Amino acid sequence: MSLVTNGIKENRVAAITLGCKLNYAETSTIIDMLAEEGWLPVDIDDGAELIIVHTCAVTGQAEQKSRQQIRKIIRKNPGSRIAVIGCYAQLDPERLAVIDGVSIVLGTIDKFDISFYTGEYKSEKSGAIVRVSPVRDLHNTAIPGSSMLCRPEKGRTRAFLKIQDGCSYGCSYCTIPNIRGRSRSVPLDLVLARAARIAEAGYREIVLTGVNIGDYRDAGVNFASLLKRLEEIEISRIRIGSVEPDLLDDEVISAVASSKKIMPHFHLPLQSGSDAVLKSMGRHYDTATYRKRFMRAVEAISGCGIGADVMTGYPGEGEREFDEMYRFLEALPAAYLHVFTCSVRPGTALSRQVAGRELRTVPHAEVASRASKLAALARNMELNFASSFVGKRLRVLFEERTGRADGTISWGGYSENYLRVDVGLDAGVISDGMRGAVHEVLVEGIGEDLHLQGRLLS
Ligand code: SF4
């Protein structure tokens, strides 16, 4: 029977994750490792003795959001121990350690030793325990943190699987290599073992994640061969996270085209549609290569959905470069766009170029106007792509139940090519079995929210 003091339950752990799919995959692993040590995972409002905040530092806004989340958690859980981990902790540990109520600050690799710092470890110094290994230590270290325990998480049908970490690309605006080190891959046998555990835990879809997953290589096994090996896992769906365009080669495209399990969907970060800006960013492709790879996938894989990240306001992006990007995107049959504005991050090549006046920043008002033009274009592109499936059949993995104003029930999920699809069911219909089920749907229309509306066929 666990002790309860001031509403705080001993040996209970909860976590909140900010940022990317990789952070979510790592949080699951960390909680699994703690559960193997006897901690009981609970929800964030269950009075856990230990609360983990997994931070993000990809932009200035992400850092601010992390600080706000930390303070909110501390206010709501005065008796809990708060551990702040991950990218922001790696980048600026001291700033987080001085937040009143923070007990532990752990960097990119140290976070996997959390059970040590929450156990018998006693810090000589007062205040928060701070453990942040220098990035140079990351470069050649094996990727820490693996657990063969894999708990099904309530209401989740999809699990993130970390296959790679770090990046050796060095894009001028990016701070991730400063936080996560150079590219390293999780050994193949560990990837396959964890994937099998995820399938046994009842998840229906695995999402492959990392920083630069297309750069996967272990003992002669590259990304395309890894995809083929994952076919042996007893699971319905395998989804690829984000792939760098120059790594979406013919081998990867044909591995997906010939697979029944790997979903016909790619997230292909473009960043800019201007060759001059791509060059300035240090990206590994130009617009011609991007379009060639994109169209090769669309032609080879039926119904393939490809989404892209685009960034505007990059220092040196003039009106001509922005127009080039806009016209490039207009001609791209993308399924969706994620639009970002450039954030000049400390410690990056870009921050040095701006400080050295080699590149001029774009005025905020101009950045805002460009971002809203791209957002309007993004909506049209998404509408065009989604509308092309009206009247067609899609296989949908259902994950979310919502009540409608007219009293009927709506179940929502994602198609294989990552379109959001909702189906309505009469209130009386027993539908608990819908969560985690894959059903064929006839698409009948598209809603204001650009969700496809359909009817269950099977
Ligand atoms: S590919 Fe570029 S943007 Fe992406 S993580 Fe690597 S350095 Fe950063």
Side-chain angles (χ1 to χ4, degrees), residues 166-177 211-212 244 269 271 281-284:
C167 185
S168 307
Y169 270 27
C171 304
S172 58
Y173 54 85
C174 183
T175 196
I176 297 171
V211 173
N212 192 348
E244 284 301 308
Q271 305 307 11
M281 287 174 165
R283 298 291 282 162
H284 289 223

Side-chain angles (χ1 to χ4, degrees), residues 186-194 216 218:
V186 176
L188 178 66
D189 57 347
L190 275 183
V191 170
L192 296 175
R194 179 101 180 147
Y216 183 89
D218 175 55

Side-chain angles (χ1 to χ4, degrees), residues 7-224:
I8 298 298
K9 300 179 188 123
E10 268 191 20
N11 290 343
R12 296 299 193 266
V13 59
I16 192 150
T17 305
L18 297 130
C20 64
K21 294 186 180 83
L22 179 54
N23 265 11
Y24 282 88
E26 292 175 333
T27 302
S28 298
T29 299
I30 289 167
I31 297 287
D32 286 347
M33 290 165 75
L34 287 166
E36 282 175 317
E37 308 244 341
W39 287 85
L40 187 68
V42 294
D43 287 340
I44 199 75
D45 301 320
D46 279 358
E49 176 195 343
L50 173 65
I51 298 181
I52 299 170
V53 183
H54 202 164
T55 62
C56 172
V58 74
T59 62
Q61 292 97 318
E63 290 181 357
Q64 189 188 20
K65 239 175 118 187
S66 297
R67 291 193 302 274
Q68 286 163 350
Q69 197 58 261
I70 294 164
R71 291 200 170 90
K72 187 172 141 207
I73 296 276
I74 290 169
R75 265 196 315 279
K76 288 179 76 179
N77 304 275
S80 302
R81 279 196 281 167
I82 309 296
V84 174
I85 69 171
C87 295
Y88 193 14
Q90 179 75 31
L91 209 58
D92 197 350
E94 299 315 326
R95 176 148 191 197
L96 298 171
V98 294
I99 296 176
D100 193 14
V102 168
S103 324
I104 305 169
V105 177
L106 301 175
T108 303
I109 41 173
D110 314 277
K111 63 189 175 192
F112 294 101
D113 301 329
I114 191 165
S115 67
F116 173 69
Y117 294 108
T118 51
E120 76 282 349
Y121 176 81
K122 293 284 168 283
S123 165
E124 311 78 44
K125 285 189 296 169
S126 63
I129 297 167
V130 177
R131 274 293 166 278
V132 172
S133 304
V135 165
R136 69 176 175 280
D137 290 2
L138 304 183
H139 291 338
N140 306 313
T141 49
I143 296 186
S146 65
S147 161
M148 281 312 117
L149 180 69
C150 183
R151 296 149 306 107
E153 286 174 51
K154 216 169 43 212
R156 290 211 23 219
T157 55
R158 228 175 308 156
F160 300 121
L161 174 61
K162 175 179 179 174
I163 64 168
Q164 182 271 352
D165 201 346
C167 185
S168 307
Y169 270 27
C171 304
S172 58
Y173 54 85
C174 183
T175 196
I176 297 171
N178 300 339
I179 295 172
R180 287 180 171 272
R182 281 201 285 272
S183 181
R184 291 110 58 218
S185 300
V186 176
L188 178 66
D189 57 347
L190 275 183
V191 170
L192 296 175
R194 179 101 180 147
R197 286 282 178 291
I198 289 173
E200 284 156 20
Y203 290 98
R204 300 303 303 276
E205 182 171 304
I206 289 177
V207 182
L208 305 180
T209 186
V211 173
N212 192 348
I213 63 173
D215 198 27
Y216 183 89
R217 71 196 86 141
D218 175 55
V221 173
N222 66 10
F223 187 51

